Amino acid sequence: MAPALWPHVSRFLWLACLLPLAPAGVAAESLVGNLVVTQNTSLPWPSSYLTKTALKISFLLHDPSNFFKTASFLYSWDFGDGTQMVTDDSTVYYNYSVIGNFTVKLKVVAQWEQATLDAGKSVVQKTGDFSAPLMLQETLQGIQISGPTQIQSFQKMTATLNFLGSPPLSLCWRLKHECLPLEEGECHPVPVASTAYNLTHVFRDPGDYCFSIRAENVISKTHQYHRIQVWPTSMQPAIFAFPCATVITMMLALIMYITLRNSAHQKDMVENLESPARGKRCCHMCCGPFLLESSSEYLEVARESHGLLPPLYKSVKTYTV
């Protein structure tokens, strides 16, 4: 190590040894200043910051007269999560990995040499204790909803909402017929202090509904929807399916009946067209002796019907001698 660095190192070690012994002092002997915590994200809520994102923590000394321009400073940091460090720089960067409320504490020791009345020099020291509250949050990544999708009217429905991320400060929901985002001022605000919430509701009228849910914390907000069908009391969906099946069966039976009836009607028409000829022949054959006036007429009709019968009268040849 270079000899020129030994004075600085020795002074730093000396201040670090004196830091635990430094008295808090009265207000007039204490340092005046404050802690400033900043982050690259811009949040509208004070003292709220994101986890897993670096925080810049700085100590600003109030010294308008430059009284401490020759003083040496030592800073002892306690970040409230078990991490501590000592630096000679008034600014540190720290990253919180978990959510929660923390308090960062800082003890500042300033010392310098001052001339005495006997032309000597003495070491003068002043200290100060400072702190700043922090609320570390995560963004709301979504809402998981566990609940029924069908229920009867006048029954109590309970749905469990699980929030992915930091607990929301408020929950807002509204029951609609369509799943649409919530507008400002059109929902029921509910305070929430944990990552789970039970939503209860009693449906009075049957129909299709949708829960529109919005949750927000100091960092972000998220939306989620849950559809549910409400049936009349003592009536299940299967009961509605039975009448539909009955109607379909009746329609099919009617179609089959009409089809069979048309085919039977066409068959009757064909048979009716053939029946007069058969009846006439039967009448001539069976009822001829009763309907004709003489036996000679009957025989003539029978001969016409049966072409193979011999003629009724045989020709007689006459000879003159």
Side-chain angles (χ1 to χ4, degrees), residues 123-137:
V123 176
V124 182
Q125 186 180 92
K126 282 192 175 184
T127 63
D129 294 302
F130 308 91
S131 63
L134 305 176
M135 182 170 62
L136 277 299
Q137 298 278 342

Side-chain angles (χ1 to χ4, degrees), residues 37-303:
V37 182
T38 58
Q39 198 174 48
N40 290 334
T41 57
S42 178
L43 301 178
W45 297 273
S47 304
S48 298
Y49 306 95
L50 285 174
T51 58
K52 303 175 184 178
T53 303
L55 289 173
K56 180 181 179 182
I57 308 175
S58 303
F59 172 70
L60 300 181
L61 177 66
H62 182 69
D63 184 23
S65 62
N66 290 327
F67 179 80
F68 296 97
K69 64 180 180 179
T70 60
S72 299
F73 291 87
L74 194 65
Y75 305 90
S76 176
W77 304 90
D78 184 352
F79 298 99
D81 62 347
T83 304
Q84 297 179 350
M85 67 172 64
V86 178
T87 66
D88 60 352
D89 194 347
S90 61
T91 300
V92 294
Y93 293 88
Y94 191 72
N95 193 340
Y96 287 88
S97 60
V98 295
I99 64 174
N101 295 320
F102 302 93
T103 300
V104 57
K105 298 178 181 179
L106 173 65
K107 187 177 186 66
V108 183
V109 176
Q111 72 173 23
W112 65 97
E113 292 183 349
Q114 181 175 314
T116 61
L117 296 176
D118 57 356
K121 292 184 178 180
S122 63
V123 176
V124 182
Q125 186 180 92
K126 282 192 175 184
T127 63
D129 294 302
F130 308 91
S131 63
L134 305 176
M135 182 170 62
L136 277 299
Q137 298 278 342
E138 288 181 348
T139 58
L140 282 172
Q141 302 172 2
I143 306 174
Q144 290 182 345
I145 303 177
S146 300
T149 57
Q150 293 183 351
I151 197 173
Q152 292 184 1
S153 57
F154 296 98
Q155 285 188 346
K156 183 179 180 181
M157 185 218 69
T158 301
T160 301
L161 311 181
N162 294 307
F163 305 103
L164 306 179
S166 295
L169 293 179
S170 65
L171 171 70
C172 196
W173 66 273
R174 185 179 177 88
L175 193 62
K176 298 184 176 182
H177 290 284
E178 298 291 338
C179 293
L180 299 174
L182 292 174
E183 302 294 337
E184 295 295 333
E186 67 162 347
C187 56
H188 310 283
V190 178
V192 180
S194 64
T195 57
Y197 179 79
N198 289 330
L199 177 63
T200 60
H201 186 73
V202 177
F203 293 91
R204 299 184 180 275
D205 299 321
D208 295 335
Y209 296 94
C210 179
F211 280 99
S212 297
I213 302 170
R214 182 183 69 215
E216 59 182 310
N217 60 10
V218 296
I219 294 176
S220 60
K221 64 177 63 176
T222 183
H223 294 80
Q224 188 57 277
Y225 308 99
H226 181 68
R227 294 183 179 274
I228 186 168
Q229 289 182 328
V230 181
W231 302 95
T233 305
S234 302
M235 189 170 294
Q236 299 295 334
I239 299 178
F240 289 94
F242 179 75
C244 296
T246 304
V247 171
I248 294 175
T249 304
M250 293 178 63
M251 292 179 63
L252 292 176
L254 180 61
I255 293 173
M256 293 178 62
Y257 171 75
I258 294 174
T259 303
L260 295 175
R261 183 179 177 183
N262 291 337
S263 60
H265 181 66
Q266 292 177 358
K267 183 178 180 181
D268 292 341
M269 291 178 62
V270 173
E271 292 179 353
N272 291 334
L273 291 176
E274 295 177 354
S275 59
R278 291 200 302 267
K280 183 176 180 181
R281 289 195 297 268
C282 178
C283 183
H284 285 296
M285 294 296 299
C286 302
C287 307
F290 303 99
L291 298 178
L292 299 178
E293 295 180 356
S294 62
S295 58
S296 60
E297 292 181 359
Y298 168 73
L299 292 176
E300 184 65 26
V301 171
R303 186 184 64 79

